[in-house]
Amino acid sequence: MFAAIVPPQEVVEDLDAFLEPRREHGFFRWSPPEQLHVTLAFLDSVSDHAVEDLEEGLARAAARRSAFPARVAGGGAFPDAAHARVLYAGLELTFEARTELDRLATGARAAAGRAGLSVDGQRFRPHLTVARLGHATEATRWLRILDSYEGPSWTVDRVALVASYLGEGPRGRPRYETVAELPLGG
């Protein structure tokens, strides 16, 4: 499972339209548009009995945060451009919006911990994974392309709790199911 911000359909469609003509030029595993999201907390294994506590904790964490503006813009690579394994689209945020997002991610991770779940301990870096690479690749050219993208802005006003079923989606990819959508409080 994971807690995430899921951009609205029009934001996803705009990014997908930008990426579509470029997909044939890269030997990547492109993320399906319906799976684009910003992960706040990744939870490797969640038992059925922990889901209710997790959802309640996420609801409290979301209620403490205010809605904020965001825009998908630019991009990057993990771990870096010279050894890219993942290409991502970035988020353009005001200082206040970045503060709210960081606090939302911290709250989501704390809610998971209170529900007795272990959370991926990596530093939170907001992004939408657009492609995965089979081996480390020099990706500077792709980063220049992603850097030219600016999508429509939207208001982040909810957190999604999403179950991921590995290998159950098309072509052996994960299948995502939104378990709950939790509104931000402010």
Side-chain angles (χ1 to χ4, degrees), residues 3-57:
I5 293 169
V6 179
Q9 188 65 34
E10 62 272 11
V11 171
V12 171
E13 288 173 355
D14 192 82
L15 178 58
D16 186 50
F18 174 81
L19 293 172
E20 182 58 37
R22 294 159 175 86
R23 286 189 178 112
E24 67 188 54
H25 301 290
F27 300 101
F28 311 138
R29 288 187 328 259
W30 293 95
S31 299
E34 64 275 8
Q35 291 187 352
L36 295 174
H37 63 275
V38 177
T39 301
L40 300 171
F42 178 76
L43 312 161
D44 188 35
S45 180
V46 180
S47 64
D48 289 341
H49 72 275
V51 172
E52 187 175 326
D53 289 343
L54 174 60
E55 187 176 335
E56 288 173 10

Side-chain angles (χ1 to χ4, degrees), residues 118-168:
S118 62
V119 181
D120 177 337
Q122 292 186 8
R123 183 171 68 96
F124 175 64
R125 292 196 264 177
H127 67 279
L128 295 92
T129 297
V130 296
R132 296 187 185 281
L133 294 78
H135 58 280
T137 302
E138 206 295 317
T140 302
R141 183 175 136 254
W142 285 97
L143 299 190
R144 280 197 292 269
I145 291 168
L146 287 169
D147 278 345
S148 72
Y149 178 74
E150 280 192 21
S153 60
W154 87 97
T155 299
V156 176
D157 62 358
R158 68 192 64 246
V159 172
L161 178 58
V162 181
S164 177
Y165 301 96
L166 299 179
E168 292 186 14

Side-chain angles (χ1 to χ4, degrees), residues 37-127:
H37 63 275
V38 177
T39 301
L40 300 171
F42 178 76
L43 312 161
D44 188 35
S45 180
V46 180
S47 64
D48 289 341
H49 72 275
V51 172
E52 187 175 326
D53 289 343
L54 174 60
E55 187 176 335
E56 288 173 10
L58 284 173
R60 284 192 301 275
R64 287 193 283 272
R65 304 281 38 107
S66 297
F68 56 89
R71 173 193 313 260
V72 178
F78 293 130
D80 57 54
H83 308 93
R85 304 275 316 200
V86 170
L87 294 179
Y88 66 83
L91 284 184
E92 181 181 281
L93 302 162
T94 64
F95 176 80
E96 293 82 7
R98 177 60 197 246
T99 300
E100 281 299 306
L101 179 59
D102 287 345
R103 290 177 178 165
L104 184 58
T106 298
R109 291 169 181 219
R114 283 190 296 277
L117 303 168
S118 62
V119 181
D120 177 337
Q122 292 186 8
R123 183 171 68 96
F124 175 64
R125 292 196 264 177
H127 67 279

